[in-house]
Amino acid sequence: MKKIVVLISGRGSNFVAIQESALREDWEHSIGAKIVAVISNRPDAKGLELAKNYGIDALCVDHKAFETREAFEEKLYEVVSQYEPDLIVLAGFMRILTAGFVDRFEGKILNIHPALLPSFKGLDTHQRAIDAGVRMAGTTVHFVTAALDGGAIIAQAAVPVLPSDDAHRLADRVLVYEHQIYAQAVKACVTGKVRYENERAVMDDQTALELTLFGQI
């Protein structure tokens, strides 16, 4: 069984979307994979209660309990490692992970960013897209490296930026496709259709087409 660990900081909407896809498609039997734990850096994260409702281990490693980032990451590494994960999925995890953590799980950590990377790395992506006057915005699933939002791109979903958009309206539209594309990307990685080789995401043409969405809303 391939084991997936999810890291969250808040409501866990992307976690729920992935878990619902896993249940709907019966990942446990169809591809031999399941989410085995949800870990938050915040004890009040709503996603922890949701994980418990699914019967998934829900744990907290509160970053505020540690004096240094390194101490927090060492404890997080200890907790994550006990599950021997094949894949670690960042789903609204609001802590920047250093090389000291990500290098131990090279090619095993995924993140989703609310922009079409490599454009608009960092925060406030939707407002920055509107301010830049781009006609397309969207979301990107990528492998995590020590470079912020800089890992190899796995999947992307694009939506039009409309003249009537504000940041909240655009974010809501993008979120619909975040929930779709992230689950597809996790499945592709855990089944080996996408591999991390020489700092690149390697896949065939059919997989690439499946991991490219064009939204109409």
Side-chain angles (χ1 to χ4, degrees):
M1 184 68 63
K2 296 291 182 69
K3 293 174 284 188
I4 303 166
V5 169
V6 180
L7 304 187
I8 65 170
S9 292
R11 59 182 178 170
S13 69
N14 270 312
F15 150 63
V16 170
I18 295 166
Q19 174 64 6
E20 286 295 320
S21 288
L23 293 174
R24 186 170 57 252
E25 300 173 9
D26 193 14
W27 285 7
E28 226 177 304
H29 295 99
S30 63
I31 62 172
K34 66 177 180 178
I35 297 175
V36 295
V38 174
I39 303 170
S40 175
N41 66 303
R42 292 178 51 186
D44 60 347
K46 292 182 180 179
L48 291 175
E49 193 61 35
L50 295 174
K52 292 176 185 176
N53 292 340
Y54 284 116
I56 298 170
D57 287 0
L59 306 93
C60 177
V61 181
D62 188 351
H63 69 277
K64 293 182 178 179
F66 299 88
E67 292 186 2
T68 66
R69 184 183 297 272
E70 290 75 17
F72 163 70
E73 288 190 353
E74 193 60 38
K75 182 61 177 179
L76 182 64
Y77 172 75
E78 177 186 321
V79 174
V80 170
S81 293
Q82 70 183 350
Y83 289 96
E84 299 180 337
D86 296 280
L87 204 64
I88 300 168
V89 176
L90 308 187
F93 186 66
M94 302 304 292
R95 299 290 295 177
I96 295 175
L97 295 169
T98 69
F101 184 91
V102 299
D103 287 352
R104 300 194 213 186
F105 295 107
E106 185 178 28
K108 290 186 175 183
I109 309 178
L110 306 189
N111 189 33
I112 191 162
H113 181 70
L116 294 175
L117 293 174
S119 298
F120 308 120
K121 297 179 180 181
L123 301 175
D124 301 321
T125 57
H126 303 299
Q127 188 60 55
R128 288 162 60 203
I130 292 169
D131 292 345
V134 298
R135 294 275 57 85
M136 299 292 290
T139 187
T140 303
V141 182
H142 63 94
F143 285 108
V144 174
T145 65
L148 179 65
D149 301 326
I153 292 171
I154 299 166
Q156 290 187 308
V159 301
V161 180
L162 304 177
S164 60
D165 276 336
D166 58 24
H168 295 293
R169 190 177 297 114
L170 180 57
D172 287 344
R173 290 212 316 283
V174 170
L175 187 62
V176 172
Y177 293 97
E178 282 188 37
H179 290 166
Q180 294 180 35
I181 200 74
Y182 211 178
Q184 291 179 35
V186 169
K187 184 178 180 181
C189 288
V190 84
T191 56
K193 288 186 175 181
V194 174
R195 306 177 308 281
Y196 186 75
E197 296 179 3
N198 300 318
E199 301 182 350
R200 296 185 64 83
V202 178
M203 66 195 83
D204 62 24
D205 287 355
Q206 182 59 41
T207 300
L209 288 170
E210 292 169 357
L211 296 177
T212 307
L213 298 183
F214 295 94
Q216 297 301 314
I217 60 171

